[in-house]
Amino acid sequence: MKIDELSPASQQALEAAAFRRLLEHLDSRKDVQNIDLMNLAGFCRNCLSKWYVAAAKADNIELDYEDARARIYGMPYSEWKEKYQTDANPAQLQQFKQTSHEK
């Protein structure tokens, strides 16, 4: 079966499952810092949080950004930051400046 043959509900269910799997994967790789994600892929966990809030807003749902971050990080951001975030090294910062995708 091709994706365009799926019903919109099935497509949405599969997309949601893939998103949940992405969150599980990110949760299993707490060693991967946001700056690593930004440098390699142009997005990070915070971007996902912002996209989550934006998707809610598009459906006329006012979602709290910190709640969205807790969903993406699997815990309050302040807790994740304290437990897992490390300082970016000079090489990471230089790469970020050269390839910044942040808008």
Side-chain angles (χ1 to χ4, degrees):
M1 176 176 277
K2 301 221 180 247
I3 291 173
D4 62 358
E5 296 172 338
L6 294 169
S7 70
S10 291
Q11 286 181 28
Q12 186 176 35
L14 293 173
E15 291 163 356
F19 179 73
R20 287 189 299 273
R21 180 64 187 98
L22 172 62
L23 294 182
E24 288 172 13
H25 181 74
L26 289 172
D27 190 51
S28 74
R29 292 299 312 269
K30 291 179 177 79
D31 60 308
V32 177
Q33 297 295 303
N34 282 332
I35 195 160
D36 297 322
L37 291 169
M38 287 299 295
N39 286 342
L40 293 172
F43 78 97
C44 69
R45 292 169 180 90
N46 289 324
C47 296
L48 288 173
S49 303
K50 291 173 186 175
W51 298 342
Y52 200 90
V53 170
K57 188 172 185 173
D59 278 348
N60 295 316
I61 300 168
E62 289 300 320
L63 192 61
D64 181 75
Y65 176 62
E66 290 305 319
D67 283 347
R69 288 210 306 188
R71 173 71 176 110
I72 301 302
Y73 283 89
M75 64 187 68
Y77 175 65
S78 59
E79 183 180 334
W80 191 94
K81 188 175 176 180
E82 183 179 312
K83 288 182 176 181
Y84 304 108
Q85 187 167 312
T86 60
D87 290 335
N89 65 45
Q92 289 170 316
L93 292 172
Q94 182 62 30
Q95 184 179 358
F96 181 77
K97 288 177 187 174
Q98 290 174 343
T99 62
S100 182
H101 301 278
E102 199 164 11
K103 295 175 176 126

